[in-house]
Amino acid sequence: MTTGVKRISLGIQGGGAFGAFGWGVLDRLLQEERLEIGAISGTSAGAVNAAVLADGYARGGGREGARAALQRFWRGLSAAASMVSPVRPSPFDWATGGGTLATSPGYQLMQLLAGVLAPPASPLSMNPMQPLLATLIDFERVRSCEEIDLFIPATNIRSGKGRVFRREELDARMIAASACLPYVFAPVVIDGEAYWDGSFVGNPSLSPLVDNGPADIVIIQNNPIARPGLPMTMSDIQSRTSEIAFNISFVREVSAIRHLGALVDAEESNVVHAAGVRLHLISGNEELQQLDLSSKFNTEWPFLLHLHDLGVATAERWLDEHADYVGKMSTMDPVPVHDAERLTGT
């Protein structure tokens, strides 16, 4: 490590296709030689980004290997979805812009079946993520990436508790579990237990970073807390319900660190960690909250590339304003977390 390099931990949120915003942020941070990533806690799409980054970084790949792996994954995801996914924008969606899928027949069918058939009864509930992840990510390389610790939360359906998977044990099942939306996909079974999306217990989960990572935690926020309008369809209500639920744990963890200097363990709720850390936030919420709720399922390459570019620009602004303070003080702007409605303009 060269003189002046500051080590950071990353907390990466989920958010479906909005994970491409996180890809953009990571793409820019990996080019920043003043910073070095020591640990990552990632949930759902954030877990995917974390695993892909480690895959590329391992065995001498370093920063450029990680950047190439992230681009390769998101291109591969878009290409695979274009061949097999029924969830595609309609001509009216394309004309409307903004990544919407509001009039996509495949999206409407998925939401309809989710409302009447519980996975795995729904014919669309077969989880395509697990085989796709196994194809696009070399998990042997992920497990060998000793430079970066990974922490991936999932939610145990039976107990309601979180389980945090570590880098040394990671495989495609665990990333798929962290990204398993309960109204879309059948649960992922690991060691005899069934799991849903990790966002219920941590989006991202910060407690593993408090004990195991560098003291500066940079959170990549791409799951909107507030939105300017009300959901008007059942599919939008379902999506907004999940969005709110997935932010509750995040807001509480940030509040606990900022105001109490302590944090409840992600797996054992009777264990409390002293949290003497510095928090930083790279937030795309002001722009992402303007996008239609359905756009979180949009894997068209032009839309993903738009989100990536937004992430790069947002990270660039954050570096210009805050990078010099890393290692010295927290720079977290509380507005996108605690007063996000102020960003909606309503």
Side-chain angles (χ1 to χ4, degrees):
M1 187 170 63
T2 59
T3 303
V5 174
K6 303 174 181 180
R7 285 174 56 79
I8 60 172
S9 299
L10 292 178
I12 313 177
Q13 283 195 331
F18 286 8
F21 170 86
W23 161 36
V25 173
L26 292 173
D27 199 16
R28 179 61 187 89
L29 292 181
L30 286 163
Q31 298 176 72
E32 184 55 55
E33 295 185 357
R34 291 177 292 175
L35 302 178
E36 181 176 82
I37 301 168
I40 304 175
S41 176
T43 303
S44 197
V48 174
N49 277 331
V52 174
L53 187 153
D55 176 10
Y57 202 100
R59 299 176 182 173
R63 296 169 183 262
E64 291 306 311
R67 293 182 64 213
L70 284 162
Q71 182 178 42
R72 184 168 59 249
F73 174 84
W74 284 96
R75 272 195 176 276
L77 173 67
S78 179
S82 69
M83 291 187 290
V84 300
S85 175
V87 182
R88 306 291 301 280
S90 71
F92 185 78
D93 289 331
W94 280 112
T96 303
T100 183
L101 296 171
T103 63
S104 163
Y107 176 74
Q108 295 299 329
L109 177 62
M110 180 183 71
Q111 298 297 328
L112 175 64
L113 292 175
V116 298
L117 294 174
S122 166
L124 297 182
S125 70
M126 290 182 61
N127 194 330
M129 284 299 294
Q130 190 169 320
L132 183 63
L133 291 166
T135 300
L136 296 178
I137 303 175
D138 185 338
F139 281 93
E140 184 180 354
R141 286 178 57 89
V142 173
R143 293 188 291 270
S144 71
C145 184
E146 297 181 354
E147 298 91 340
I148 303 173
D149 289 323
L150 300 184
F151 306 95
I152 308 299
T155 305
N156 185 306
I157 301 174
R158 181 185 57 81
S159 68
K161 294 182 178 180
R163 177 173 174 181
V164 178
F165 299 104
R166 271 66 175 176
R167 187 202 70 232
E168 303 82 31
E169 61 182 330
L170 283 180
D171 60 25
R173 296 172 305 156
M174 297 167 186
I175 304 299
S178 186
C180 182
L181 289 171
Y183 60 88
V184 177
F185 301 127
V188 177
V189 178
I190 301 171
D191 299 333
E193 294 282 2
Y195 291 91
W196 277 337
D197 200 297
S199 300
F200 289 111
V201 294
N203 190 26
S205 183
L206 301 180
S207 65
L209 299 178
V210 168
D211 282 350
N212 301 284
D216 285 87
I217 300 176
V218 179
I219 300 167
I220 301 174
Q221 184 190 24
N222 50 241
N223 194 49
I225 289 178
R227 283 188 176 270
L230 298 177
M232 302 303 294
T233 66
M234 287 304 298
S235 59
D236 282 353
I237 290 172
Q238 195 171 50
S239 295
R240 182 58 180 151
T241 299
S242 295
E243 201 169 58
I244 292 171
F246 290 169
N247 275 311
I248 290 173
S249 58
F250 168 62
V251 173
R252 287 178 176 172
E253 283 198 316
V254 169
S255 297
I257 292 174
R258 292 184 65 234
H259 301 299
L260 303 176
L263 196 59
V264 175
D265 188 85
E267 297 178 294
E268 300 294 337
S269 58
N270 62 336
V271 175
V272 177
H273 304 259
V277 296
R278 294 175 289 271
L279 293 180
H280 312 274
L281 181 69
I282 301 178
S283 175
N285 277 202
E286 191 166 2
E287 293 83 6
L288 295 174
Q289 69 186 0
Q290 304 299 327
L291 299 176
D292 193 83
L293 282 157
S294 64
S295 66
K296 286 188 172 185
F297 292 90
N298 188 342
T299 55
E300 297 292 316
W301 181 243
F303 181 62
L304 296 180
L305 195 58
H306 165 71
L307 293 174
H308 164 271
D309 293 347
L310 176 61
V312 171
T314 305
E316 186 70 49
R317 288 195 299 271
W318 181 85
L319 287 166
D320 288 343
E321 296 172 7
H322 301 299
D324 289 341
Y325 297 102
V326 173
K328 301 175 183 178
M329 60 183 287
S330 294
T331 66
M332 182 176 200
D333 180 0
V335 171
V337 178
H338 302 296
D339 297 296
E341 65 274 14
R342 288 169 52 186
L343 303 176
T344 64
T346 58

